[in-house]
Amino acid sequence: MNDKENNNYVLELLDIHKSYGSKVVNDNITMRLKKNEIHALLGENGAGKTTLMNIAYGLVCPDSGKIKVNGTTLVLENSSAAIKNGIGMVHQHFMLIDSFTVLENIVLGRECKKQGVFTDLQKSKIEIQALLEQYNFEIDLEAKVKDISVGMQQKVEIVKMLYRGAKILILDEPTAVLTPKEIDDLLVVLKGLSESGHSIIIITHKLKEIKKSAQRCTIIKHGKLVATVDVKETDEDQLASMMVGRKVEFSVEKRAHHFSKTLFKVDKLCVNDYRGIRAVNNVSFDIREGEILGIAGVDGNGQSELVEAIAGIRKIESGHFFIEGNNITHKKPREIIDSGVSTIPEDRQKMGLILPFNLAFNLILHKYAIRPFSKFGFLNFESIRKQASSRLKAFDVRPDDPNYLASALSGGNQQKLIIARALFDNPKLLIACQPTRGLDVGAIEYIHKMIIEHRNKGRSILLVSHELDEIIDLSDRVLVFYEGKIVGMLEGKAIEERKIGLLMAGGE
Ligand SMILES: Nc1ncnc2c1ncn2[C@@H]1O[C@H](COP(=O)(O)OP(=O)(O)O)[C@@H](O)[C@H]1O
Ligand SMILES: [Mg+2]
């Protein structure tokens, strides 16, 4: 390669190798970022993407390999060194301080000083305001971080990096928590930045976003480089199969059928959130046998409280719900499970699993006290292990060893384990909350298949998801939640992205 070509790269990660113990996480990966480029980094959960980017940001030290910035080889000992060299990273979990204002968060650690000692917030504010104008950001600098939306917080993180002079921006799954409108906004922001001299690496599982925003895409699998491709010359199917190593079916086959009987009914339900503020406000709906009812909405509009109330773990202020005509309001969680309701909770690690327990025990958490798992008050280990072994195989949990600890599974396999338990004895109503959050396309494909199969058996599913594609692909009917109320009900052909997105944002 001649010098001129070389100059096109603002960041080069060359033959980067990193292992943890005997596990190779980055296996001699090379990735180059061009000036003004948006470059996507794609790979299954656990492929080694975050590690590679942490290496570029000086947070993780590689075992071997070279990092070049603008053609010069550097040793990045920490993130300050990376920032000094114009590299900024926004992590998957934001690192802002909730009780501080936006302005305070942006300047934190880089305050302007008056007379050498006092913080001159006013001076910083003027500089930041100029930045906001330059890049067309609308952010209220005086708002407390805890009061602004996740989409806004993301922008604050980006501005924080720009304020530190970052020319190379690394974003780790920035869209995982955003609404469709926020995602579109972010992609516009990134495009603007790339046109004004910045270069960007974006990690995302969403192939659509890659097609929309990136010029090139680097795919890694099990820590190894698969390829760097031109996005224009690749389609979503090709990207997915390079990443997973086989063809992925995006469309889920759903048998059309006639719904008849109502299975589950919610009548004028009111539920408060943890602060005692009304979160579910007079909500009524029903679900028929063989139907997937999707609930769409931005996080925090009452969906979580609704599900907790149905599962019996949150107090109901007023209203009722019924399964096959039987009133199960105010019943204990165990009685609700026994009446045929099963839940995939939204937080798989906090609510779904007991991480230090093995897979076999996690599979019977809701059934351990009954036969065949217990007899006369004693656990029957043989039967627990045998059941687990066949379930783990049937639900494709890897590894399928009943003695393996839940904490050691990848996110996708933890979710399969939860689904194996939730579908244990063919529940009449499956409540699936964010069933594929943060998972890669291979795992998503599998989980969607399981949900559809359950529906095709004539069972009912309440699907709660912030993922619009998931709601649209799976649901027979969609309710949109906004501020604790149902603001729209869509069925059949009327289920479309633009309409739902608008309702989710409180529009008509
Ligand atoms: N500090 C660490 N110690 C041990 N293993 C780690 C550490 N960080 C990451 N890993 C392992 O490295 C692999 C790649 O992780 P990561 O880079 O986070 O993947 P991705 O971002 O692609 O999902 C995973 O198997 C993860 O468990
Ligand atoms: Mg990651």
Side-chain angles (χ1 to χ4, degrees):
M1 194 181 296
N2 64 34
D3 271 354
K4 189 150 175 272
E5 258 181 293
N6 232 343
N7 286 340
N8 281 337
Y9 294 118
V10 287
L11 175 68
E12 293 168 85
L13 303 168
L14 304 168
D15 283 322
I16 299 291
H17 195 277
K18 176 78 196 170
S19 326
Y20 288 110
S22 60
K23 191 176 164 93
V24 181
V25 179
N26 284 171
D27 194 353
N28 292 342
I29 298 180
T30 290
M31 175 176 179
R32 293 187 176 91
L33 178 66
K34 288 182 187 169
K35 187 162 194 293
N36 296 353
E37 173 181 49
I38 300 183
H39 193 131
L41 178 57
L42 179 67
E44 290 180 288
N45 300 110
K49 306 175 296 289
T50 299
T51 305
L52 185 66
M53 291 303 105
N54 280 339
I55 289 172
Y57 188 51
L59 284 179
V60 169
C61 181
D63 302 331
S64 61
K66 240 196 247 177
I67 300 173
K68 284 190 184 179
V69 178
N70 298 317
T72 310
T73 304
L74 296 174
V75 178
L76 301 171
E77 276 173 347
N78 47 39
S79 58
S80 312
I83 289 170
K84 230 181 255 152
N85 284 288
I87 304 171
M89 178 159 172
V90 177
H91 282 90
Q92 209 168 348
H93 305 285
F94 302 153
M95 304 198 171
L96 301 172
I97 300 174
D98 267 359
S99 54
F100 280 22
T101 66
V102 169
L103 177 64
E104 288 162 344
N105 266 288
I106 295 174
V107 300
L108 194 70
R110 196 188 175 276
E111 296 88 351
C112 290
K113 294 282 191 295
K114 247 194 285 204
Q115 292 153 2
V117 257
F118 304 108
T119 302
D120 189 349
L121 215 51
Q122 213 43 42
K123 186 161 168 233
S124 306
K125 190 172 176 179
I126 292 167
E127 290 176 7
I128 293 167
Q129 221 118 37
L131 255 181
L132 297 185
E133 260 164 52
Q134 185 184 348
Y135 296 114
N136 242 334
F137 277 126
E138 272 180 40
I139 302 181
D140 177 1
L141 292 176
E142 299 305 332
K144 290 251 164 69
V145 161
K146 65 173 167 18
D147 297 328
I148 62 176
S149 68
V150 183
M152 205 51 105
Q153 292 182 17
Q154 185 115 54
K155 286 189 187 152
V156 174
E157 289 273 19
I158 295 175
V159 173
K160 197 170 161 175
M161 287 303 149
L162 295 176
Y163 184 56
R164 282 155 180 71
K167 286 288 181 197
I168 297 167
L169 276 172
I170 300 171
L171 304 162
D172 193 351
E173 298 198 33
T175 59
V177 286
L178 303 186
T179 62
K181 166 96 178 38
E182 286 172 329
I183 294 175
D184 284 344
D185 285 353
L186 178 71
L187 297 183
V188 170
V189 165
L190 296 185
K191 190 157 184 287
L193 284 170
S194 73
E195 283 163 0
S196 66
H198 295 81
S199 315
I200 297 163
I201 298 179
I202 177 172
I203 300 181
T204 173
H205 287 302
K206 297 175 189 165
L207 307 172
K208 246 197 220 161
E209 291 167 12
I210 297 179
K211 285 298 284 178
K212 245 193 230 171
S213 65
Q215 284 87 51
R216 292 193 304 154
C217 176
T218 291
I219 301 118
I220 61 177
K221 182 173 164 57
H222 299 321
K224 288 192 168 67
L225 177 72
V226 177
T228 295
V229 296
D230 228 314
V231 172
K232 260 207 217 93
E233 287 158 16
T234 328
D235 61 26
E236 290 182 31
D237 284 345
Q238 287 168 319
L239 287 173
S241 42
M242 274 189 273
M243 153 181 170
V244 181
R246 63 174 169 82
K247 194 166 163 23
V248 177
E249 290 300 334
F250 287 103
S251 55
V252 270
E253 203 187 324
K254 229 167 70 181
R255 218 171 40 225
H257 59 92
H258 195 70
F259 307 108
S260 48
K261 245 170 80 191
T262 294
L263 178 108
F264 184 69
K265 189 174 170 58
V266 173
D267 188 34
K268 302 199 188 81
L269 193 70
C270 289
V271 182
N272 291 348
D273 68 10
Y274 68 98
R275 298 165 298 187
I277 296 169
R278 186 61 37 102
V280 177
N281 198 349
N282 206 21
V283 161
S284 304
F285 62 86
D286 52 31
I287 312 179
R288 296 165 292 185
E289 286 183 348
E291 181 178 45
I292 299 178
L293 180 74
I295 294 195
V298 177
D299 202 4
N301 276 280
Q303 308 93 314
S304 308
E305 287 82 359
L306 170 74
V307 168
E308 287 166 8
I310 297 174
I313 55 173
R314 180 171 289 282
K315 185 169 163 247
I316 291 156
E317 300 302 319
S318 61
H320 300 277
F321 49 90
F322 305 86
I323 189 157
E324 294 180 315
N326 299 318
N327 190 341
I328 53 166
T329 328
H330 304 300
K331 294 266 192 229
K332 294 195 185 83
R334 153 109 306 115
E335 295 168 321
I336 292 172
I337 293 173
D338 290 343
S339 71
V341 181
S342 178
T343 310
I344 300 171
E346 64 181 308
D347 188 327
R348 72 180 73 105
Q349 300 203 333
K350 284 200 200 116
M351 299 288 290
L353 297 172
I354 302 187
L355 292 172
F357 278 21
N358 69 23
L359 306 189
F361 284 115
N362 269 289
L363 272 174
I364 56 146
L365 284 180
H366 60 318
K367 298 276 177 196
Y368 68 89
I370 53 170
R371 286 180 186 226
F373 308 123
S374 279
K375 258 191 211 163
F376 312 118
F378 292 102
L379 288 174
N380 179 348
F381 290 100
E382 183 48 29
S383 140
I384 291 171
R385 216 194 48 77
K386 242 166 102 190
Q387 261 284 349
S389 195
S390 71
R391 292 240 130 206
L392 294 172
K393 279 194 187 73
F395 283 83
D396 191 35
V397 179
R398 287 179 228 174
D400 57 11
D401 173 2
N403 297 320
Y404 209 70
L405 295 186
S407 56
L409 291 183
S410 72
N413 283 299
Q414 288 181 343
Q415 195 69 342
K416 285 184 197 167
L417 179 69
I418 289 174
I419 290 181
R421 184 181 63 213
L423 295 179
F424 204 84
D425 30 33
N426 198 14
K428 290 174 188 150
L429 174 66
L430 172 70
I431 305 176
C433 301
Q434 318 298 343
T436 60
R437 173 144 65 191
L439 303 186
D440 60 66
V441 289
I444 293 175
E445 176 196 33
Y446 183 84
I447 286 163
H448 283 177
K449 216 176 86 199
M450 298 314 293
I451 291 176
I452 297 272
E453 264 176 25
H454 197 60
R455 164 205 186 260
N456 289 348
K457 281 188 204 153
R459 298 306 197 176
S460 308
I461 290 117
L462 178 65
L463 169 71
V464 181
S465 177
H466 311 319
E467 212 58 73
L468 261 195
D469 284 345
E470 177 163 86
I471 291 276
I472 292 167
D473 285 352
L474 298 184
S475 307
D476 296 299
R477 254 189 320 151
V478 175
L479 302 178
V480 186
F481 261 54
Y482 183 71
E483 294 185 339
K485 292 198 167 110
I486 296 172
V487 292
M489 204 275 280
L490 309 168
E491 188 160 11
K493 288 219 166 52
I495 300 177
E496 46 125 0
E497 185 173 339
R498 211 190 52 84
K499 179 82 185 149
I500 301 176
L502 210 59
L503 288 165
M504 276 168 70
E508 286 294 299

